[in-house]
Amino acid sequence: MHILSFAIRTSLAGRLTTWYTGTSILLLTAATGLLYWALISELNRDGDLFFTDKVNVIRTILREQPRDREALREEVQLESAARTYDQFYIRLLDERGDVVMETPRMGQQLNSASFPDASPGPPFHGLSTTNKTGIPFGVLSTRVPVGNAGNVLWTMQIAVNRTQQRELLARYRHWLWSIWACAFVFCPLLGYRIATRGTRPLQRIGETARRISSQTLNERIDPAGYPVELATLAQVFNAMLDRLEDSFARLSQFSADLAHELRTPVNNIRGEAEVALARARSVDDYREVLGSCLEEAARLSQLISDLLFLARSENPGEHLRPQELPVLTIFSTVHDYFEANAAQQGVDLVIECDPALHAEVDRQLIQRAVGNLVANALAHSKRGGIVTLQASQDNGTLHVRVLDTGTGIPAEDLPRVFDRFYRVDRSRSPGSGGAGLGLAIVKGIVTLHHGTVSMKSNVSDGTSVTIRLPLVSRHRTGDMQEGLQNAIAR
Ligand code: ATP
Ligand code: MG
């Protein structure tokens, strides 16, 4: 019993079986109970019709031919005596209560005291009783007028043997119990079979999930032939595996790239030191080697601090020191920082920003993000190109955009440029750019600010990166003119 209740609580098939069995037996009980009740009602109705019929016949005879004893005998004695099933008995009592006529042997079955008081009717409703030997009867008693005057009233007692009816009901009940017992045995078996068949796809999903490890992330469930609900589950499961596989691939790529990025400066330092130590050198030579080693060490330390920053930026809410400031201030600081560089490259660095636009941001971080975007834009712009810092607002969102007219990014690389260490130039030669962390850092900073970042690029037109942040709108119209003039002046 304990094991059974444990199985019902823990197994889905057990629960489904219990529900199925319970519901089936409940429905069966209700249906058979209803049929049994309907059968009893039908039998009673038949019995009442019979009573009404007999009373009407006797009434007619007594009213129209009160002296015709033959007709009465025919009805009261002969007809009932000729009956084998559902034997009935009629007794007529005169106004003093003396028996005028009765069906033979009626006195042995039921005396006149066994009948109820005369009921008015029609319609007539017989009552149930049993005689002293235990035979069941339907009984009725009513007054019948004798002659047309209607002042003489006899009593008519009528009884129907209901043994046949009782046996019929007993047989019916027997059948019901048999059906009920079969249902009690077969419903759980059938229910269990249905439940295990229905949950088989779930088991298959479970088996697949159990088989999956980092080496077998390519496994998928084939939802063909599954019911809709489980096919959806299988598709959701497959989609989750797609994401896991992708994340895993990115993580592996990240580890490989990290190793590569760390190895290059370390190898350089080591190589230069080995070459320097191979023979005696001048102080200037040693100075040059040390300078070069320092450069590599600085690169290494920059890489490590970038990685640490990225790791920290994954803890939302941390390291943020938000302050409300005009977007133009951020742009100006970045502009000042890159101005000389841009001029040297022959690239125009332009600001287009409404000075009324304010943002609530961590100034250092946002400057770093915008700075990374400008650094990328400058790195991929040709002489004569334009790099624009643009800000606008739309539906409570601040859009900070860095546009360039540079080389652009091929469409197939776009979805991955925000990944750590991802560079369009896969050769990863040290001369061809940074470590590939700049955009990942931008994304980290924007996420910390509850914003989003996206990139559009086209190999012919250049690139535009948009940062979307929740807006702090302060329209200081007085400042606006001055700001616009500033913007145009740049
Ligand atoms: P880091 O920023 O770490 O010094 P990086 O600039 O190579 O290195 P990201 O800033 O993450 O790395 O950029 C990733 C890649 O996306 C770059 O290598 C470059 O190929 C491409 N890219 C980014 N911005 C632009 C741009 N404005 N125009 C063309 N290509 C770009
Ligand atoms: Mg960069």
Side-chain angles (χ1 to χ4, degrees):
M1 203 62 199
H2 187 69
I3 295 173
L4 190 68
S5 77
F6 179 75
I8 289 169
R9 260 186 292 121
T10 53
S11 128
L12 179 61
R15 282 182 196 196
L16 289 175
T17 308
T18 313
W19 277 105
Y20 172 80
T21 309
T23 315
S24 308
I25 288 182
L26 206 74
L27 281 175
L28 195 73
T29 310
T32 49
L34 207 71
L35 281 176
Y36 186 67
W37 174 82
L39 180 65
I40 290 176
S41 308
E42 277 304 306
L43 290 173
N44 285 342
R45 202 174 71 90
D46 274 6
D48 290 345
L49 283 176
F50 175 80
F51 283 138
T52 309
D53 203 32
K54 279 291 156 208
V55 171
N56 284 343
V57 171
I58 301 290
R59 236 175 226 247
T60 313
I61 294 171
L62 284 181
R63 192 177 59 235
E64 281 158 21
Q65 310 143 24
R67 302 195 184 285
D68 188 353
R69 293 294 145 125
E70 254 333 288
L72 265 186
R73 185 167 297 111
E74 176 78 21
E75 279 301 318
V76 174
Q77 294 182 336
L78 300 180
E79 202 197 314
S80 77
R83 232 174 135 124
T84 336
Y85 297 107
D86 290 346
Q87 184 78 52
F88 71 88
Y89 301 93
I90 299 175
R91 176 181 289 133
L92 290 170
L93 304 165
D94 62 17
E95 61 271 34
R96 289 189 304 277
D98 295 334
V99 177
V100 179
M101 189 179 290
E102 68 175 18
T103 310
R105 294 185 304 282
M106 183 171 182
Q108 296 159 19
Q109 301 292 354
L110 292 163
N111 57 24
S112 47
S114 314
F115 285 81
D117 292 339
S119 67
F124 296 107
H125 298 293
L127 295 176
S128 294
T129 185
T130 42
N131 71 0
K132 49 188 183 296
T133 56
I135 298 172
F137 283 95
V139 291
L140 176 88
S141 165
T142 186
R143 297 243 188 265
V144 279
V146 181
N148 277 328
N151 51 355
V152 181
L153 284 174
W154 285 6
T155 302
M156 175 180 174
Q157 294 182 336
I158 172 164
V160 180
N161 188 330
R162 286 198 172 153
T163 309
Q164 302 279 336
Q165 205 184 90
R166 186 187 264 190
E167 281 170 9
L168 173 79
L169 288 175
R171 276 198 303 280
Y172 194 79
R173 277 198 304 274
H174 176 79
W175 273 109
L176 293 189
W177 281 116
S178 307
I179 291 170
W180 208 81
C182 286
F184 207 76
V185 174
F186 288 112
C187 280
L189 293 177
L190 202 68
Y192 187 70
R193 203 163 154 65
I194 293 170
T196 44
R197 267 184 88 92
T199 53
R200 202 167 295 152
L202 275 180
Q203 284 168 5
R204 257 181 268 151
I205 293 175
E207 280 159 19
T208 312
R210 217 171 293 133
R211 272 203 308 275
I212 285 170
S213 70
S214 57
Q215 274 81 43
T216 52
L217 271 176
N218 58 340
E219 282 228 26
R220 294 291 179 274
I221 300 163
D222 179 12
Y226 280 19
V228 181
E229 298 83 351
L230 294 180
T232 313
L233 179 67
Q235 278 155 6
V236 169
F237 189 77
N238 284 345
M240 184 192 76
L241 287 177
D242 287 345
R243 289 196 299 276
L244 272 180
E245 194 180 10
D246 185 52
S247 304
F248 214 79
R250 284 178 191 224
L251 207 63
S252 305
Q253 186 63 44
F254 171 72
S255 312
D257 292 343
L258 178 62
H260 179 89
E261 288 301 323
L262 291 175
R263 197 181 56 191
T264 309
V266 170
N267 275 354
N268 288 351
I269 292 171
R270 187 177 163 187
E272 295 206 32
E274 275 174 0
V275 170
L277 289 174
R279 60 181 172 83
R281 296 187 185 268
S282 67
V283 172
D284 282 347
D285 284 348
Y286 283 128
R287 194 184 293 276
E288 195 183 322
V289 169
L290 280 177
S292 161
C293 284
L294 200 63
E295 220 173 84
E296 292 294 348
R299 203 173 142 195
L300 204 55
S301 115
Q302 180 61 44
L303 184 70
I304 291 168
S305 67
D306 281 355
L307 284 172
L308 280 176
F309 175 82
L310 275 171
R312 284 204 312 268
S313 73
E314 272 163 15
N315 293 338
E318 277 195 24
H319 329 297
L320 267 193
R321 271 170 295 155
Q323 65 183 103
E324 197 189 315
L325 73 162
V327 181
L328 190 60
T329 310
I330 301 166
F331 280 177
S332 302
T333 312
V334 176
H335 183 277
D336 293 348
Y337 186 81
F338 285 99
E339 201 172 19
N341 212 337
Q344 198 183 356
Q345 271 187 250
V347 176
D348 221 2
L349 193 54
V350 185
I351 296 179
E352 288 173 8
C353 174
D354 178 349
L357 282 179
H358 279 63
E360 192 168 356
V361 288
D362 185 312
R363 183 173 181 169
Q364 299 299 326
L365 293 185
I366 281 295
Q367 277 176 189
R368 185 171 180 184
V370 178
N372 279 1
L373 296 180
V374 173
N376 280 351
L378 288 175
H380 297 93
S381 288
K382 297 191 193 83
R383 182 164 287 279
I386 305 169
V387 172
T388 313
L389 299 178
Q390 217 178 51
S392 59
Q393 68 164 64
D394 171 31
N395 287 337
T397 307
L398 173 69
H399 297 250
V400 173
R401 211 167 276 126
V402 177
L403 306 135
D404 67 56
T405 51
T407 54
I409 300 172
E412 67 269 20
D413 290 299
L414 264 184
R416 302 207 54 190
V417 284
F418 288 98
D419 285 3
R420 292 165 194 195
F421 293 121
Y422 192 83
R423 293 190 334 199
V424 174
D425 168 27
R426 312 261 161 76
S427 67
R428 311 198 69 82
S429 55
S432 68
L437 291 176
L439 287 178
I441 289 174
V442 172
K443 191 172 179 186
I445 292 172
V446 173
T447 310
L448 271 180
H449 284 83
H450 307 292
T452 57
V453 58
S454 62
M455 179 184 266
K456 276 191 199 151
S457 190
N458 193 310
V459 192
S460 49
D461 301 336
T463 306
S464 116
V465 185
T466 307
I467 295 174
R468 289 178 194 80
L469 296 171
L471 180 75
V472 180
S473 182
R474 288 270 181 88
H475 263 278
R476 296 187 201 141
T477 40
D479 293 351
M480 202 184 287
Q481 288 299 328
E482 188 194 337
L484 274 176
Q485 275 161 12
N486 279 347
I488 292 160
R490 287 175 204 284

